[in-house]
Amino acid sequence: MSATNASTEVPMALEARDIFKHFDGVHALSGVKLSVKTGEIHALLGENGAGKSTLVKVITGIYTPDSGEILRNGESVEFANVRVANRAGIVALYQELSIIPSISVAENIMLGEQTPSKGGIVQWAELRKRAQEQLDRLNQKIPLNRLAGELSPVQQTMVAFARALATDARVLILDEPTASLTDTEIKDLFAVLRKLRDQGVAIIYVSHRLEEVFELCDRLTIMRNGETIITKDVQESNIEEVISNMVGRAAGQLYPERGTATTEVALTVEGLNGRRVKNVSFTAHKGEVLGIGGLAGSGRSELLRILAGAQKHSTGTVTVGEEALPSSPSVGKALDAGIALVPEERRSQGVILSASIQDNIALANIPSVSSLGIVSGVKISTITKRGMLDLQIKARGPHQNVGELSGGNQQKVVLAKMLARKPKVLLMDEPTRGIDVGTKAEIYRLIRELAAGGTTVIAVSSELPELIGMSDRIIIMHEGQISGEVEAAVADDELLLTYCYGKAN
Amino acid sequence: MRNKFKLLVAAAAVVALSLTGCAASGGGEADKPFKVIAFTSGNQTPVGAWWVKAVTAKAKELGWDLTMIQGDFDFQKMNPAVESAIGQGADVILDGYTDYASIGSIVSAAKDAGIPIFAMDSGTEPTDAFVSNVTTDQQGIVDSTVEALSTELGGLKGKNVMIIGHDPHPGIRMRAGLAEEAFKAAGANIAGGEIQKVQSPATGRTEALALVADYLAANPNGLDAVWVGWDDAALGASKALAEAGSSAKVTGVDATSEAIAEITAGGNFLATIEQPWPAILDTVIGYIVTYQKDGTLPSTNFETVGTTLVNKVNAAKITPSDKL
Amino acid sequence: MTTTNAPARAGQAIGRMLLQGGTVVALLLLIIFFFAMRPDIFLTFVNVKNILYQVSILAIIAGAQTVVMVVGDFDLSVGATSSLAGAVAGAQMIGGAPIWQAISVALLVGLIVGLVNGVLIAYLNLTAFVATLATMTSVVGFAFLVTEGTTLFNFPAEFNELGQGKFLNIPIPVYFALVISVIIWAVLKFTTIGRSWHAIGGNVEVSRLSGVNVRRARLLAFTVAGLVSAIGGILLAARLGSASAVQGSDNMMFSVAAVFLGMTVIKSGMANLGGTMIGVGIIGVMSNGLNILGVNAYIQQVVTGIIIILAVTLSGLKTRER
C-alpha cells in the first residue's frame, strides 16, 4: 500500500526502488528507480554503459541487487533466477538471442517450462494448439512446423514475442527489437506492441532509435551513469531534451558542420555489375563524405563489398586516383590501393571480441608492423597508442579485450584498425549501428575530421537523418541501380524516400 | 611478479634435480653396482607385462641397479625417457620386444655413450644396433604351421588359404610374407590374391572376423584354411568360420590361453605356436652376465630359436603366453 | 521478371533437394554400386545379415554419440567407456559373479563415467573436448587395470549368447541395436528432456533465458551416453566372447563420423538418430562391400575418409547457398 501513486488505485505492474548493484567495486547501478504501469509502453533510454542492461538483468533475476526492492503489482518480490522471474510474468527478449534456429516455430514458442507434457512425454497436439493461439494473438501467419532459422528476422522476432506471450508475460522487456528490421516490418511490430499494450501488457522498450521512441512509447525513463535521471510522459518531452539528459550536457549539434570537398577525384566507379548491383557508375572526391542510401536489398552493401574487394564483380572498373584496381580484386589488393572497409556486422566481421585492442589493430596492419616476417611489438604498441589517443577509445589499456568494450568503443577499434593503414578511401557500412548517442556524435566528428584531412569517406546508412546529417552528397540505390543523387544540404527525408522506392525524379 | 617467482622456483628445482642426478651417478661409480636400463614398448601386452616382471625379478636376484622404462607403444614418450636414462650413465641396455626401426635415437645415444644394447625379439634381421638380438625362428614358425594345415587338409594343392597379417609389426609382417611363399610353393590358392591386412592390433579380432565373414559371404565354401599371424586375430577368424558353418582350419601364433582353449575344444582353431620366451630371456641374461664378468660380447648379433607347435595333442602341457 | 525466374527457381529447388539428400543418395548409390558389382552376393540374406551384425554395436555407440551431439557437444570417451564396461563385465564373471550382477555393475560403470563427464562439462564448465579426452585417457587406464593388460575370456555361455545367439536367424545384437535406436529416437522426439536437448543444441543462451535447465539437461545427456556406450561394450564382449582394454576403440571415431554424416540428412543440420543410422549404414556397407570386392584394407581406409568428406561437403554446399 504505497502512497506514492495516490492518483491511481492500480499498483504499478513493475516497480524498482533504490536498486544498487556493483561489480568489482564499480557501481553499475546506484539508487535506480523505475516504475512501469500496466498497459503502457515505457522507453528505457541511456547511452551504452548507462546501466540499462544491468537494470534489465536485475529485474529478470539474472543479477541479484546489492540493495533495493523489486515490486510486482505492488508486492515485493525476489527472483533467484530467470525461471522464477518468468513465472512472475516478467520476460526479457534480447535482440541477438530471440530464437533457436534449429527447432520448429511451435517448439520455439512453447520452450522450456511451457512445453506441455505428461510424465516427461511432450504433448505435441497440445503444444501446437497453444503455439497457434499465441501466433493468432499476434495476427501472425507463420507455419508452425517451419524451422525458426528459416524465418525472416521480423518473423523470428514475432516468434520470440509469441513465446513471451505463451509464458503469460505481463511485463515484457524488449532490447533493440528493431535492429534488424526494415521500415515496413517495424510498422508491423509496432502494431503488435500497441495491441499487447491494449491487452494490459506492460512493455519496457530499450532502444537507441529515438524517433521510434517518440512514435511508439507512452512514457520514458532516462538513465545515465547508473542512475535514473528523469521519468516523463513522452508527449511532454522532445528529442533534444532526451539527448541532453542522456549525455548529461546540452545536446549541441549531433552532426558537425559540413566541410568543403575538393574537386579532385579520388575514386571512379564505372559500369559496375555484381549479383544485385547493376551498371553503377559514380565518382567520389578527395575530402568528401559520400552517403549511400537505399532499402535493404537495394545493393548498397554489396556495392561497398565490391569496392573493398570482398566480393567479385562481373564487369566494370574501379579506379583509385589514377590507379585501376585489378579485375580479380581481393581485400588485400584493395587495401594496398588505399580502400578500407569498416563492415556492418561489427561483432562478427569487424573485430575479434576475444582478442585485445592491440591485437585487433595489429592484425589488420601486419605488413606495417613487421619486417622479414617478424612482428615488432614496439611498432604495434606505437600504432595502438596513437589509434587509441586519436579516436579517444575508452579502455583500461591496449591489452583489454575488445569484447569488454561498449559498442561505440568497439566501433572505434575497428576504425583505428583501418585508419592505421592510412586509407585514401574509407568505406563504412552502417557506421553507428547499435551505438549510443554520445558516441554517435563522436563518430560523426571523426568522419568529418578524416574528410578534412583528405580522406574520402563513403558511408552506407539506412537511417535517413544520419545520411543527411553526416554526408556532403548522397546517392540512393534502388534494385541495384542508382536511383537518385542529391547534395545533402538540400536533401530531406521525403525526397530520399522517393528515390529509395525507385520513383523517378 | 608472480611469474618471475614461478620461474625462480622452476630454476631452483632444475638445479636441485641435476645436482641429485650427478650425485647418484657419481655414487654409482664408487659402489659399482651393475647399472642396467631395460625398456619395452609392449608392456601392455600379456607377454610384455610378463617380461617387465621377469626382468625386474632377475635384476633383483643378480643385484643389478635396474631402470625399467615402459613405453605403452608410445615411442614419443619412451625414447626420450630411455635417452635421459642413458645420459645418467649405465653399463648395459636391455631391449624387450621393441623393433630397432622405432628406436633409432636410442641406438645412437647408446652408441655415443658406448653402452651395448642386448635385445630379445627386437627385429627380424641382423643389425649393428644390437650386440645381440635373440628371437624366434620365423621360418620355423611358418614351416610348422603350414605343415600342420597340410597334414590336416591332406595336402595343400588347390586348397584356398587366406593369410591375415599386420604390417607394422615386423615379426608378423615377415612370417606372413614367408607363409604366402610357402603356401604358393605348395600349390595353394591365396584367398583374395594377397595377404589380408588388419589395420590396428586393438581391433584385430573384430577386423579379422569381418574380413572372413565377408569373404565367405562373397565366396561360400571358399576357404579351406586361414593362416593368421597372431592369436588374437586368429580367434576372430575362427569365430567367423564357426558362425558361417565352415569347417576350414585356422592357425595362429602366440599360444594365448584363449587360443589353447579353442584348440583343445577341437573347433576350427587347429594350432598355434609357442615361443619360448623364458628360455630366450635366460639366454640374453646369460650374455649380459658374461659381459658383466669380463666384457665378452656374444659371438653373433642375431640368433633365432626354435618354437613349438601347439595342437590338440600337446595343448594341455603348454604354459599359455599370458600366464607366464 | 517472374517468368524468367521460374525455371531457374525450379532448377535450384531440385538441386537443393539433391544436396539435402546427398547422404541418403550416397548410401543408395553405394548399395546400387556394390549390388551391380556382385549381384549374386551383396543383397543376399546372409550378407545383409552380416552387414547388420557388423554395424550393430557401432549403431548403439553412435546412438549414444547422437544424444550428446544433439546438445551440441561431443563425447570422445564413448569407445573407451564401452571397452571398460565390457572388461568390467568380463572380470566380474571370471571372478564368479552371476551374469545379471556382472552386467549391472558394467552398466553402472558406464553410467558413472557419463556422470563424471556431465559434471565436468555442465557444472565445472570444462569444454567437452578437454573433459572427454581426459576421461577417455583415464578410462582406458582403468580398462587396462581391470584386464591386467590381457584379454579376458571364458565367459558363461549364456552371456556369450547375448552377442552370438540368433533369433529368427538374425543375431541378437541386431535386435538390441534396433530397440536402443528406437528408444533413443523416441526420447529425442517425444520427451521434454529430448526437446530440451534440441533447444540447447540450437542455442544455449536462448534456452537458458527461456527457463530450460541447461545444466541438468547436459548432465543427463552425457550420463545417457555413458550408459548406452556401456551397453554397446557389454554386447561387444559377448559378441567376441572376450574383453580387452582396447577392443572397439575404433567405435569412437566411427560414431562421430556417423553422426556427422547424419547431420547432413536433415534441414536443420542437427544431429538426429535417423541420420546417424544412415551414417552407420554407409560405414557398414562401405566396409562390407569393399571386403566383398576384395579391396585392400589400406585402400578401404582411404576411401572411407573420402566418402565422409564428400557427403559432408555436399551438405555444406547446401547450407552455404542461401
Side-chain angles (χ1 to χ4, degrees):
Chain A
M1 280 288 108
S2 72
T4 45
N5 292 310
S7 56
T8 81
E9 289 299 308
V10 189
M12 289 288 169
L14 184 85
E15 197 174 347
R17 283 188 195 161
D18 295 321
I19 303 289
F20 282 83
K21 177 74 186 171
H22 76 279
F23 301 100
D24 300 331
V26 179
H27 277 277
L29 298 178
S30 359
V32 165
K33 299 177 184 65
L34 177 70
S35 55
V36 184
K37 293 177 194 163
T38 301
E40 76 163 343
I41 303 180
H42 193 116
L44 182 59
L45 304 171
E47 295 191 71
N48 282 344
K52 298 178 310 252
S53 51
T54 310
L55 177 60
V56 167
K57 283 178 177 164
V58 167
I59 294 172
T60 52
I62 295 174
Y63 293 156
T64 314
D66 301 337
S67 65
E69 198 181 11
I70 308 272
L71 294 99
R72 171 89 178 91
N73 290 332
E75 283 171 37
S76 179
V77 284
E78 274 179 37
F79 302 134
N81 57 43
V82 179
R83 262 171 282 149
V84 180
N86 282 358
R87 282 185 209 130
I90 299 174
V91 176
L93 295 176
Y94 300 91
Q95 68 181 83
E96 284 151 8
L97 298 171
S98 57
I99 53 116
I100 295 176
S102 55
I103 63 178
S104 71
V105 167
E107 280 190 89
N108 261 289
I109 295 173
M110 307 302 295
L111 203 59
E113 295 187 329
Q114 300 310 312
T115 309
S117 66
K118 271 187 198 144
I121 307 293
V122 176
Q123 306 297 302
W124 280 102
E126 177 70 14
L127 187 149
R128 288 209 183 81
K129 195 178 121 233
R130 281 169 46 190
Q132 188 61 56
E133 283 168 13
Q134 306 312 327
L135 286 177
D136 290 346
R137 273 177 79 184
L138 295 170
N139 283 335
Q140 294 297 312
K141 292 192 173 43
I142 302 174
L144 287 176
N145 289 330
R146 282 284 286 284
L147 291 179
E150 295 179 327
L151 303 178
S152 70
V154 69
Q155 284 177 318
Q156 295 185 350
T157 309
M158 291 300 168
V159 168
F161 279 167
R163 177 167 68 234
L165 295 182
T167 61
D168 197 24
R170 306 307 299 170
V171 178
L172 192 57
I173 304 170
L174 306 175
D175 186 7
E176 294 278 358
T178 57
S180 50
L181 304 185
T182 63
D183 287 349
T184 32
E185 287 171 338
I186 291 173
K187 289 256 174 331
D188 292 345
L189 173 73
F190 284 3
V192 167
L193 291 180
R194 290 193 182 101
K195 194 174 164 196
L196 290 176
R197 173 187 62 192
D198 297 343
Q199 290 171 3
V201 177
I203 297 172
I204 299 175
Y205 190 87
V206 181
S207 178
H208 286 121
R209 297 189 176 178
L210 298 182
E211 293 85 355
E212 290 179 357
V213 168
F214 281 87
E215 184 185 340
L216 176 72
C217 300
D218 301 309
R219 293 200 302 156
L220 54 83
T221 294
I222 296 175
M223 293 185 72
R224 187 173 75 229
N225 293 332
E227 294 173 43
T228 32
I229 303 301
I230 190 174
T231 297
K232 244 186 143 167
D233 277 359
V234 167
Q235 285 173 343
E236 293 166 14
S237 185
N238 57 56
I239 289 196
E240 288 69 31
E241 185 193 29
V242 168
I243 292 178
S244 67
N245 276 309
M246 280 168 66
V247 298
R249 55 185 154 83
Q253 226 172 337
L254 190 54
Y255 304 103
E257 292 281 310
R258 291 200 178 81
T260 40
T262 64
T263 49
E264 190 184 331
V265 172
L267 178 84
T268 313
V269 174
E270 262 175 302
L272 209 58
N273 280 288
R275 229 182 288 164
R276 279 212 179 98
V277 170
K278 279 179 241 149
N279 196 27
V280 166
S281 305
F282 66 90
T283 56
H285 301 105
K286 200 174 168 196
E288 181 182 33
V289 180
L290 176 63
I292 299 184
L295 301 175
S298 61
R300 47 181 203 191
S301 294
E302 183 182 286
L303 175 61
L304 279 203
R305 282 201 302 275
I306 292 175
L307 294 180
Q311 190 176 321
K312 272 189 238 163
H313 57 273
S314 46
T315 54
T317 57
V318 178
T319 315
V320 183
E322 301 287 303
E323 185 192 349
L325 248 60
S327 56
S328 64
S330 70
V331 175
K333 286 178 195 160
L335 275 170
D336 290 344
I339 303 184
L341 171 69
V342 175
E344 177 182 5
E345 293 290 332
R346 178 171 62 240
R347 297 168 76 87
S348 61
Q349 301 170 353
V351 284
I352 300 169
L353 293 173
S354 59
S356 69
I357 297 173
Q358 176 161 314
D359 290 346
N360 265 289
I361 291 176
L363 193 64
N365 294 284
I366 287 174
S368 65
V369 297
S370 60
S371 45
L372 301 172
I374 311 291
V375 176
S376 153
V378 177
K379 282 183 189 164
I380 292 179
S381 153
T382 313
I383 65 163
T384 307
K385 276 184 194 141
R386 193 188 309 141
M388 289 180 67
L389 200 68
D390 288 353
L391 302 183
Q392 297 178 9
I393 296 174
K394 292 193 192 86
R396 285 199 304 270
H399 296 289
Q400 187 172 8
N401 276 357
V402 171
E404 298 169 13
L405 303 180
S406 69
N409 280 307
Q410 288 179 2
Q411 183 72 323
K412 288 184 189 172
V413 172
V414 183
L415 264 172
K417 181 174 114 170
M418 286 309 171
L419 293 181
R421 301 205 55 144
K422 303 195 175 60
K424 291 179 196 140
V425 179
L426 182 69
L427 311 173
M428 302 181 83
D429 202 351
E430 301 289 358
T432 64
R433 167 157 296 178
I435 290 177
D436 57 78
V437 175
T439 316
K440 266 187 188 177
E442 272 187 72
I443 301 269
Y444 297 138
R445 185 180 50 76
L446 274 168
I447 290 175
R448 193 43 73 185
E449 280 174 15
L450 285 170
T455 309
T456 305
V457 180
I458 301 181
V460 161
S461 173
S462 44
E463 289 177 42
L464 299 179
E466 170 173 287
L467 213 48
I468 297 169
M470 71 176 172
S471 313
D472 292 315
R473 187 160 57 101
I474 300 167
I475 288 176
I476 300 290
M477 294 186 69
H478 171 70
E479 293 192 346
Q481 289 173 311
I482 293 179
S483 60
E485 182 184 333
V486 63
E487 290 297 319
V490 298
D492 58 33
D493 286 14
E494 202 180 334
L495 176 67
L496 295 186
L497 268 176
T498 327
Y499 289 149
C500 282
Y501 287 104
K503 285 165 197 146
N505 354 346
Chain B
M1 267 310 256
R2 198 192 285 170
N3 278 340
K4 267 188 189 154
F5 179 68
K6 269 188 195 160
L7 210 69
L8 211 70
V9 171
V14 168
V15 170
L17 280 174
S18 53
L19 282 177
T20 53
C22 290
S25 62
E29 299 279 321
D31 295 333
K32 293 252 174 202
F34 193 61
K35 276 200 76 165
V36 177
I37 301 167
F39 67 89
T40 178
S41 65
N43 53 291
Q44 288 175 338
T45 66
V47 174
W50 159 82
W51 186 84
V52 171
K53 274 188 219 155
V55 171
T56 313
K58 288 272 182 203
K60 202 171 176 191
E61 185 186 315
L62 295 166
W64 291 350
D65 172 6
L66 177 73
T67 307
M68 172 63 76
I69 292 159
Q70 306 186 40
D72 303 343
F73 287 116
D74 183 354
F75 298 108
Q76 202 177 319
K77 178 169 104 185
M78 185 184 79
N79 294 12
V82 175
E83 283 152 36
S84 66
I86 291 172
Q88 313 229 339
D91 293 302
V92 299
I93 298 167
L94 173 56
D95 170 5
Y97 305 104
T98 313
D99 183 31
Y100 60 86
S102 308
I103 54 165
S105 59
I106 295 178
V107 169
S108 46
K111 277 232 163 82
D112 292 347
I115 307 170
I117 306 180
F118 294 78
M120 60 181 278
D121 196 34
S122 301
T124 53
E125 283 159 0
T127 164
D128 289 342
F130 305 131
V131 295
S132 160
N133 179 20
V134 184
T135 184
T136 49
D137 178 7
Q138 300 295 342
Q139 187 63 56
I141 290 173
V142 169
D143 289 347
S144 45
T145 43
V146 172
E147 195 196 319
L149 284 172
S150 175
T151 313
E152 177 72 19
L153 302 176
L156 290 169
K157 195 156 186 61
K159 296 282 168 23
N160 299 311
V161 184
M162 178 184 276
I163 302 171
I164 299 179
H166 173 65
D167 288 351
H169 185 291
I172 295 173
R173 182 194 173 94
M174 183 179 191
R175 55 186 179 250
L178 292 172
E180 188 183 21
E181 282 172 27
F183 283 117
K184 276 185 179 161
N189 306 317
I190 306 300
E194 58 177 3
I195 299 172
Q196 304 298 308
K197 283 145 188 155
V198 159
Q199 290 170 28
S200 161
T203 52
R205 195 176 299 198
T206 29
E207 281 187 55
L209 207 163
L211 268 174
V212 174
D214 290 341
Y215 188 83
L216 284 178
N219 309 276
N221 302 317
L223 288 176
D224 297 304
V226 183
W227 186 99
V228 191
W230 72 112
D231 278 352
D232 191 52
L235 286 159
S238 86
K239 189 167 287 291
L241 291 171
E243 283 171 5
S246 165
S247 59
K249 295 297 175 191
V250 179
T251 63
V253 177
D254 282 344
T256 66
S257 38
E258 211 176 347
I260 292 174
E262 288 271 308
I263 291 166
T264 316
N268 299 72
F269 211 125
L270 179 69
T272 183
I273 294 290
E274 182 203 32
Q275 303 182 87
W277 301 123
I280 291 176
L281 179 62
D282 286 343
T283 309
V284 177
I285 299 274
Y287 290 153
I288 297 178
V289 170
T290 311
Y291 173 74
Q292 180 184 4
K293 243 180 248 161
D294 52 16
T296 314
L297 290 172
S299 53
T300 167
N301 63 9
F302 184 75
E303 60 186 288
T304 56
V305 174
T307 55
T308 311
L309 183 81
V310 182
N311 55 23
K312 218 171 169 175
V313 181
N314 63 353
K317 281 177 258 164
I318 299 290
T319 310
S321 59
D322 48 329
K323 298 278 155 61
L324 284 171
Chain C
M1 266 305 236
T2 36
T3 41
T4 50
N5 273 351
R9 288 249 171 83
Q12 267 180 11
I14 291 171
R16 201 173 301 145
M17 218 169 69
L18 272 177
L19 288 176
Q20 220 146 62
T23 311
V24 183
V25 173
L27 177 57
L28 290 176
L29 285 179
L30 279 176
I31 292 174
I32 292 167
F33 172 74
F34 287 125
F35 180 68
M37 296 300 284
R38 296 300 300 267
D40 51 328
I41 294 156
F42 186 69
L43 288 181
T44 58
F45 174 75
V46 170
N47 195 54
V48 171
K49 188 184 75 183
N50 268 352
I51 296 176
L52 292 176
Y53 201 4
Q54 284 162 13
V55 300
S56 53
I57 284 151
L58 172 61
I60 292 171
I61 291 173
Q65 190 69 262
T66 306
V67 170
V68 186
M69 287 178 75
V70 163
V71 191
D73 290 311
F74 56 92
D75 188 345
L76 298 176
S77 71
V78 287
T81 307
S82 73
S83 305
L84 177 62
V88 165
Q92 291 263 314
M93 287 182 293
I94 287 171
I99 296 173
W100 66 265
Q101 182 192 327
I103 292 177
S104 312
V105 173
L107 290 176
L108 187 69
V109 165
L111 192 91
I112 290 170
V113 174
L115 209 60
V116 169
N117 279 332
V119 168
L120 290 177
I121 292 157
Y123 288 88
L124 301 179
N125 297 327
L126 268 66
T127 62
F129 183 83
V130 173
T132 60
L133 188 68
T135 48
M136 175 185 82
T137 310
S138 295
V139 163
V140 170
F142 276 120
F144 273 115
L145 285 174
V146 170
T147 57
E148 294 173 356
T150 65
T151 303
L152 306 175
F153 69 107
N154 248 342
F155 306 149
E158 296 83 5
F159 176 78
N160 287 349
E161 192 69 10
L162 286 176
Q164 300 175 25
K166 290 198 175 85
F167 176 71
L168 299 177
N169 208 14
I170 292 181
I172 288 176
V174 176
Y175 294 104
F176 270 105
L178 210 65
V179 169
I180 289 169
S181 300
V182 169
I183 291 174
I184 292 177
W185 173 79
V187 167
L188 286 173
K189 176 91 187 165
F190 296 114
T191 66
T192 46
I193 185 68
R195 299 324 292 178
S196 299
W197 287 338
H198 279 105
I200 293 167
N203 190 324
V204 179
E205 270 312 289
V206 176
S207 305
R208 200 171 57 80
L209 293 174
S210 307
V212 175
N213 193 335
V214 173
R215 290 187 157 169
R216 202 192 57 180
R218 286 175 90 192
L219 175 76
L220 261 169
F222 279 97
T223 310
V224 166
L227 179 68
V228 174
S229 304
I231 299 176
I234 294 166
L235 283 174
L236 181 61
R239 195 264 171 278
L240 296 176
S242 67
S244 83
V246 287
Q247 75 188 16
S249 52
D250 53 348
N251 283 332
M252 189 271 284
M253 282 318 295
F254 281 133
S255 72
V256 175
V259 179
F260 266 120
L261 285 171
M263 286 161 74
T264 65
V265 172
I266 60 167
K267 231 177 348 182
S268 66
M270 298 273 284
N272 65 101
L273 198 92
T276 299
M277 290 306 131
I278 287 169
V280 168
I282 287 182
I283 292 168
V285 165
M286 283 282 291
S287 151
N288 169 275
L290 292 172
N291 269 346
I292 281 180
L293 299 187
V295 175
N296 177 302
Y298 302 155
I299 295 175
Q300 285 193 24
Q301 191 156 5
V302 173
V303 173
T304 308
I306 291 173
I307 292 280
I308 291 173
I309 291 169
L310 280 181
V312 177
T313 311
L314 270 180
S315 56
L317 291 176
K318 162 191 91 191
T319 40
R320 220 171 300 143
E321 93 136 51
R322 257 194 303 158

